[in-house]
Amino acid sequence: MTTRRTWTGRVFIGSSLDGFISRPDGNIDWLTDPAPGPRHASISSTQEVAGWDSFFPSVDHLVMGRGTYEKVLTFDDWPYTGKRVLVMSTTLNTDDARVTVTRDLDEAVEELAASDADQVYVDGGQVIQSFLRADLIDEISIGWAPVLIGSGLPLFGDLDHDVQLELVASNASGGMVHTTYRVHRSQPATGTPSRSSVNH
Amino acid sequence: MTTRRTWTGRVFIGSSLDGFISRPDGNIDWLTDPAPGPRHASISSTQEVAGWDSFFPSVDHLVMGRGTYEKVLTFDDWPYTGKRVLVMSTTLNTDDARVTVTRDLDEAVEELAASDADQVYVDGGQVIQSFLRADLIDEISIGWAPVLIGSGLPLFGDLDHDVQLELVASNASGGMVHTTYRVHRSQPATGTPSRSSVNH
């Protein structure tokens, strides 16, 4: 019997307009250090996307791939203090006490359940794609950078079926178009009940 | 010597959020007949994208691929009356007097120059990609449909270099997020002078 999922899977990511989250070598200069020059229109909106400063404090767990984890290790500071961090990797061996390594999706899902996860930040292209395919994503926030980079690591990938989305918010700033969607399910998916039904 | 380009290349297209302009078989049901259910947020914006009703009358020439042309032939009416239509195909033979077949990009560009094109609507994934690679696109308007379809004909493709974009407008309606960009060039590209310099 499938265990009901009690947590919310959330994506919050920047992408080039052609759908890449990094260049082939992992570089995100196009996002963090955009070319100067374009004089982007200033656009206000009645439904602003919640920014990083409200998104990040709202999550309690992170799931990421080895690539994202190793990128973060190059930062001066560990950015996830106070969060439980799962790294999905079939090969990683580490004694880093700040993370829990899970070998596959089932193990990650078990770990999230055991850990009483509530708001789960799902990060990295491959991890996002595998969570989407398993219907474990509920919210997707994307910041579309105003650039085409032509190649790189794709944000999205193959799916077994369409994923219908409900537009929640959209606004633009500094040339970035921010959009937030909820995954729409025609009937509650296995494992995405409201909190009230969990409590029965 | 390169001839200066005197026309504006414009893209106006719908795409799934994962960057496909049709399913693998050409079907665009996800765009024209979206699944009912999602209650999209109503979002107003201070910079609305020009819609089809103002875009289409403003173009004088269309360039499309064989796939788009053959799709249009299945419609009840020819939608391009009053416009000059170029179909890019290496193999198509037709006596359809409503279109001019060009065998490659150079031939299409020559034809546009000879025809005194001004506003050129560039349509279809492969044609858009080849025009982008040749730096022949000046404006890109995309309507992002609120759905992931997982596979299909991609809107964008490989590039030799980044294409910087300037955000011009963005708004949302019915779950679609509409965005318009101008291609940003740090120096005027060969062939994209202002009209005034053309008239010298």
Side-chain angles (χ1 to χ4, degrees):
Chain A
M1 187 185 146
T2 310
T3 310
R4 282 193 175 271
R5 175 159 64 93
T6 59
W7 46 270
T8 301
R10 303 170 72 184
V11 172
F12 190 104
I13 201 156
S15 172
S16 68
L17 197 67
D18 48 354
F20 299 109
I21 60 173
S22 78
R23 296 192 194 275
D25 65 359
N27 195 320
I28 57 167
D29 58 326
W30 50 273
L31 180 66
T32 54
D33 189 23
R39 301 180 63 172
H40 302 289
S42 173
I43 305 174
S44 296
S45 161
T46 52
Q47 293 283 347
E48 305 262 327
V49 168
W52 180 256
D53 290 349
S54 62
F55 171 80
F56 189 68
S58 74
V59 302
D60 43 88
H61 284 64
L62 287 89
V63 185
M64 62 186 64
R66 179 175 187 152
T68 306
Y69 170 62
E70 291 184 339
K71 181 93 182 173
V72 167
L73 287 183
T74 69
F75 297 171
D76 289 339
D77 296 303
W78 180 249
Y80 306 133
T81 304
K83 316 283 187 189
R84 183 94 195 277
V85 178
L86 275 55
V87 179
M88 284 179 66
S89 167
T90 53
T91 54
L92 178 66
N93 284 305
T94 176
D95 56 5
D96 184 347
R98 299 167 305 189
V99 304
T100 303
V101 180
T102 59
R103 295 303 180 197
D104 59 28
L105 187 63
D106 285 347
E107 212 178 301
V109 169
E110 276 173 32
E111 191 65 34
L112 289 169
S115 179
D116 199 24
D118 181 15
Q119 300 295 314
V120 180
Y121 173 20
V122 179
D123 201 24
Q126 285 181 297
V127 174
I128 291 170
Q129 291 171 33
S130 66
F131 271 61
L132 266 174
R133 274 192 292 270
D135 198 18
L136 297 170
I137 297 295
D138 304 289
E139 180 190 278
I140 302 175
S141 289
I142 306 172
W144 297 102
V147 63
L148 305 174
I149 64 174
S151 62
L153 303 184
L155 170 52
F156 295 116
D158 291 340
L159 292 169
D160 299 326
H161 50 77
D162 291 357
V163 174
Q164 303 294 337
L165 303 169
E166 175 193 329
L167 181 65
V168 175
S170 178
N171 67 279
S173 64
M176 300 277 294
V177 175
H178 302 275
T179 51
T180 297
Y181 298 89
R182 277 193 210 106
V183 171
H184 177 77
R185 298 178 177 96
S186 48
Q187 49 195 33
T190 307
T192 54
S194 65
R195 280 266 153 183
S196 60
S197 66
V198 174
N199 293 338
H200 281 178
Chain B
M1 186 185 148
T2 310
T3 310
R4 280 194 176 271
R5 176 159 64 92
T6 58
W7 47 269
T8 301
R10 303 170 72 184
V11 172
F12 190 105
I13 201 157
S15 173
S16 68
L17 196 68
D18 48 354
F20 299 108
I21 60 173
S22 76
R23 296 192 194 275
D25 65 359
N27 195 320
I28 57 168
D29 58 326
W30 49 272
L31 180 65
T32 54
D33 189 25
R39 301 180 63 173
H40 301 289
S42 173
I43 305 174
S44 297
S45 162
T46 51
Q47 293 283 348
E48 305 261 329
V49 168
W52 179 256
D53 290 348
S54 62
F55 172 80
F56 189 67
S58 74
V59 302
D60 43 89
H61 284 63
L62 287 90
V63 185
M64 62 186 63
R66 180 176 187 152
T68 306
Y69 170 63
E70 291 185 338
K71 182 93 183 174
V72 167
L73 287 182
T74 68
F75 297 171
D76 290 338
D77 297 304
W78 180 249
Y80 305 133
T81 304
K83 317 284 187 188
R84 183 94 195 277
V85 178
L86 274 56
V87 179
M88 284 180 66
S89 167
T90 53
T91 53
L92 178 66
N93 285 304
T94 177
D95 56 6
D96 184 346
R98 299 168 305 189
V99 304
T100 302
V101 179
T102 59
R103 295 303 180 198
D104 59 27
L105 188 63
D106 286 346
E107 212 178 300
V109 169
E110 277 173 31
E111 191 65 34
L112 289 169
S115 179
D116 200 24
D118 182 15
Q119 300 296 315
V120 180
Y121 173 20
V122 179
D123 201 25
Q126 285 182 298
V127 174
I128 291 171
Q129 291 173 32
S130 66
F131 271 60
L132 265 174
R133 274 192 292 269
D135 199 19
L136 297 171
I137 297 294
D138 304 289
E139 181 191 278
I140 301 175
S141 289
I142 306 173
W144 297 103
V147 63
L148 306 174
I149 64 174
S151 62
L153 304 184
L155 169 54
F156 294 116
D158 290 341
L159 292 168
D160 299 325
H161 49 76
D162 291 357
V163 174
Q164 303 294 338
L165 302 170
E166 174 194 330
L167 181 65
V168 176
S170 178
N171 67 279
S173 63
M176 300 277 294
V177 174
H178 302 275
T179 50
T180 297
Y181 299 90
R182 277 192 211 106
V183 171
H184 177 77
R185 298 177 176 97
S186 47
Q187 49 196 33
T190 307
T192 53
S194 65
R195 281 266 151 182
S196 60
S197 65
V198 176
N199 293 337
H200 281 178

